[in-house]
């Protein structure tokens, strides 16, 4: 076994940090380390924390760490920060809000830069998560970059996806748009002490109701809203085998509602590990992870083998000597023949 892998399994903090750095940089014999660690992974519960910028993901993550530590669980955090497309640098400042846990030997916080990767995660996030899983983390919190409506990479990495919303980030039309909101296992309306929190919860509940069958419609409203249906009084029935995302209210700066949120997260984990539908969901996630791994391996191999041919194909397309579709087909044929 690789000496660095042995240090990770021995829960050596410096060795684990070095392994995370190696996996993030993808240099040296990082693959050997990851291969040695993989048989010791699969025990951690990975929670993805995603949502719009400014929703309070970092502060809420800090509060989640505190709750899990009170339960005696070892916690790891992977905080993703955006890389500047101009300077190439990243502040890596999300962990600033987690300073209260820096001295806790049972908490490991690792910041990663996106390095141009899209989808809210960095390319190496999955590998770093496996290192921390082998380190012995019971819970791994993965805080994504502030995302928009369709950054769904976290769903292919995390067991449970927590989508953090905040009042004032959009109207009811935004709430029913496909994409980010549909990937949530649990919703948290953070900053719930602000004006508009009730409307945000109502809009999310409306979106969730669209996925079920209306058993009894709500009564017609009166007064200023005459002629409209009161959706809060309608009864909606969902598939018994389907997980229905709950909506929690939190004020993370005052530690309000966080314990109830953790209870809802744990309920999803129980469903995920104790039902056939949950097992099917876990297998599909692993299958998608394998597709991603294969795609990256094929791309790296093709770029390494076809570097000059790729440049020549780009020149041919630029001079309109061929079209990009034919050029790509020729590159694939050349790569297969090697």
């Amino acid at each position: 076994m690789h000496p660095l892998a042995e240090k990770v399994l021995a829960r050596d903090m410096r060795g684990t940090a070095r392994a995370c750095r190696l996996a993030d940089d993808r240099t040296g014999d990082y693959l050997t380390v990851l291969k040695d660690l993989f048989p010791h992974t699969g025990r951690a519960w990975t929670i993805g924390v995603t949502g719009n910028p400014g929703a309070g993901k970092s502060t809420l993550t800090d509060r989640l760490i505190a709750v899990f530590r009170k339960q005696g669980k070892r916690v790891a955090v992977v905080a993703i920060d955006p890389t500047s497309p101009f300077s190439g640098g990243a502040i890596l400042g999300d962990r600033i809000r987690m300073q209260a846990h820096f001295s806790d030997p049972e908490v490991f916080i690792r910041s990663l830069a996106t390095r141009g990767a899209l989808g809210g995660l960095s390319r190496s996030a999955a590998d770093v998560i496996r290192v921390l899983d082998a380190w012995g983390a019971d819970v791994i919190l993965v805080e994504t970059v502030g995302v928009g409506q369709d950054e769904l990479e976290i769903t292919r990495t995390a067991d449970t996806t927590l989508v953090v919303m905040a009042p004032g980030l959009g109207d009811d039309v935004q709430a029913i748009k496909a994409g980010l909101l549909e990937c949530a296992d649990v919703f948290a309306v953070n900053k719930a002490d602000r004006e508009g929190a009730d409307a945000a919860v109502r809009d999310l509940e409306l979106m969730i109701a669209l996925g079920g069958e209306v058993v009894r419609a709500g009564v017609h409203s009166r007064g200023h809203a005459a002629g409209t249906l009161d959706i809060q009084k309608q009864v909606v029935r969902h598939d018994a085998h389907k997980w229905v995302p709950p909506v929690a209210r939190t004020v993370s700066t005052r530690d309000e509602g966080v314990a109830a949120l953790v209870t809802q997260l744990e309920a999803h984990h129980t469903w995920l590990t104790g039902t056939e539908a949950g097992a099917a969901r876990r297998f599909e996630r692993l299958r998608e992870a394998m597709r991603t791994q294969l795609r990256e391996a094929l791309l790296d191999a093709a770029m390494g083998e076809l570097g000059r041919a790729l440049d020549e194909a780009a020149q041919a397309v630029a001079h309109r000597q061929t079209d990009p579709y034919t050029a790509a087909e020729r590159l694939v044929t050349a790569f297969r023949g090697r």
Side-chain angles (χ1 to χ4, degrees), residues 255-328:
D255 203 17
E256 295 178 3
V258 179
L261 172 61
V262 170
T263 299
Q264 294 174 339
L265 292 170
E266 291 172 337
H268 178 261
H269 188 229
T270 300
W271 173 84
L272 197 66
T273 57
T275 65
E276 292 184 3
R281 155 82 178 271
R282 291 165 61 197
F283 176 78
E284 184 61 27
R285 183 179 66 83
L286 291 173
R287 184 172 179 271
E288 285 299 320
M290 277 303 307
R291 287 170 61 93
T292 301
Q293 191 71 35
L294 178 61
R295 187 184 304 114
E296 292 182 357
L298 288 174
L299 180 61
D300 289 343
M303 294 296 291
E305 295 287 340
L306 302 173
R308 179 172 297 179
L310 180 62
D311 293 339
E312 293 173 353
Q315 288 287 347
V317 172
H319 291 90
R320 295 299 189 271
Q321 298 172 353
T322 186
D323 58 86
Y325 315 104
T326 302

Side-chain angles (χ1 to χ4, degrees), residues 17 31 52 59 118 204 224 263 266 289 301:
L31 276 178
N52 306 97
T59 304
L118 302 176
L204 289 174
H224 294 293
T263 299
E266 291 172 337

Side-chain angles (χ1 to χ4, degrees), residues 116-325:
L118 302 176
L121 295 180
S122 68
R123 185 181 179 186
S124 61
D127 294 334
V128 172
I129 289 170
R130 292 191 182 103
V131 172
L132 297 175
D133 189 351
W135 169 71
D138 298 307
V139 179
I140 302 176
L141 299 169
V142 183
E143 182 193 344
T144 74
V145 172
V147 297
Q149 293 173 350
D150 61 355
E151 291 84 351
L152 307 180
E153 288 299 321
I154 188 62
T155 63
R156 303 185 181 99
T157 305
D159 300 311
T160 301
T161 301
L162 169 64
V163 173
V164 184
M165 307 291 292
L169 294 181
D171 55 13
D172 54 350
V173 176
Q174 293 290 343
I176 62 176
K177 282 188 175 182
L180 175 67
L181 298 185
E182 290 186 345
C183 80
D185 297 312
V186 178
F187 288 104
V189 176
N190 196 28
K191 306 179 182 180
D193 54 337
R194 293 186 176 181
E195 182 181 356
D198 292 339
V201 172
R202 184 190 65 243
D203 293 339
L204 289 174
E205 290 175 343
L206 170 62
M207 186 208 70
I208 296 169
L210 292 176
E213 176 187 358
V214 177
V215 177
R216 186 179 74 243
V219 298
H220 283 276
S221 300
R222 298 180 179 179
H224 294 293
T228 61
L229 286 175
D230 185 352
I231 62 170
Q232 291 184 332
K233 294 183 179 180
Q234 70 182 11
V235 178
V236 180
R237 179 173 59 199
H238 293 272
D239 187 340
H241 301 291
K242 181 181 179 181
W243 172 259
V244 181
V247 181
R249 296 170 182 253
T250 60
V251 183
S252 56
T253 54
R254 297 206 299 257
D255 203 17
E256 295 178 3
V258 179
L261 172 61
V262 170
T263 299
Q264 294 174 339
L265 292 170
E266 291 172 337
H268 178 261
H269 188 229
T270 300
W271 173 84
L272 197 66
T273 57
T275 65
E276 292 184 3
R281 155 82 178 271
R282 291 165 61 197
F283 176 78
E284 184 61 27
R285 183 179 66 83
L286 291 173
R287 184 172 179 271
E288 285 299 320
M290 277 303 307
R291 287 170 61 93
T292 301
Q293 191 71 35
L294 178 61
R295 187 184 304 114
E296 292 182 357
L298 288 174
L299 180 61
D300 289 343
M303 294 296 291
E305 295 287 340
L306 302 173
R308 179 172 297 179
L310 180 62
D311 293 339
E312 293 173 353
Q315 288 287 347
V317 172
H319 291 90
R320 295 299 189 271
Q321 298 172 353
T322 186
D323 58 86
Y325 315 104

